[in-house]
Structure formats: structure tokens, C-alpha cells
Amino acid sequence: AIPREARARLLLANDKAREVVEQVLQKCQAAAVAEYGTLEKNLVMALVESKDSPSGVSSCPRPLERASAAKLLSLLLALPHGPIKFSHAMPDLVETSNNVA
């Protein structure tokens, strides 16, 4: 199934990091609108500050250590992605696939 919506939580070190993320997000938004804009009229990508704790500081969990992040990325890259089995009866008909992306 294709998700209707998605969210990500980022912990940014400073205002400069926020500026960079906003620039990347704007480019991603423009690319997505160019590709899907006629189908997805309400497509929105936004960077919103989280104020979910009394102190105003986000209660994000601690980031992964570098070694743990590398292991996680290696796992994601090793997972099967795309078509796994095609139909024997109809050429090019995908019967089984796995999409982690």
C-alpha cells in the first residue's frame, strides 16, 4: 500500500542546519509537485518546529551512535527491494514485491 501521509522527526543542531534542511525540502517539494501535482492537488511538505515538552525543547529520543546508524543503513540497503516474483501466466505482471523505500 502507498501511504497517504508521512512524517519525520529531525533534531537539528542549529539555525544553519535548519536553513539547509528547508532548502532541501523546497527542492523536494518542487520535484514532487512537478511529478505528482496533477494527481495530488494538496501535496505539502513542511518543516514545523515541535514544542511538545513543557520546556519548549522537543522530546526527541537520543540520536543513534555513528556505528549503530551505519549498521541500520547497511540493513536497509541489504533488504530486497522491488519485484521478487513475476507471473508465469502473464509476462511482466508482478505477483510479489517488497518496497522499503
Side-chain angles (χ1 to χ4, degrees):
I2 299 172
R4 194 184 78 148
E5 61 185 59
R7 296 169 194 249
R9 182 172 260 186
L10 306 175
L11 183 60
L12 304 175
N14 53 41
D15 288 339
K16 179 64 179 166
R18 182 183 173 89
E19 289 173 21
V20 170
V21 170
E22 284 177 340
Q23 290 171 3
V24 170
L25 188 63
Q26 287 174 1
K27 289 179 184 178
C28 291
Q29 168 92 26
V33 167
E35 185 167 351
Y36 303 109
T38 57
L39 297 171
E40 299 292 338
K41 304 268 188 231
N42 298 319
L43 188 128
V44 175
M45 294 181 190
L47 185 62
V48 180
E49 187 171 344
S50 175
K51 302 254 187 204
D52 59 359
S53 71
S55 67
V57 176
S58 175
S59 61
C60 248
R62 218 176 81 235
L64 291 175
E65 299 289 333
R66 186 175 297 270
S68 296
K71 287 178 184 177
L72 176 60
L73 290 174
S74 293
L75 169 68
L76 292 173
L77 290 170
L79 290 173
H81 179 77
I84 295 172
K85 184 176 185 312
F86 290 88
S87 170
H88 295 290
M90 295 182 65
D92 298 325
L93 175 64
V94 176
E95 286 187 347
T96 305
S97 68
N98 184 13
N99 298 311
V100 178

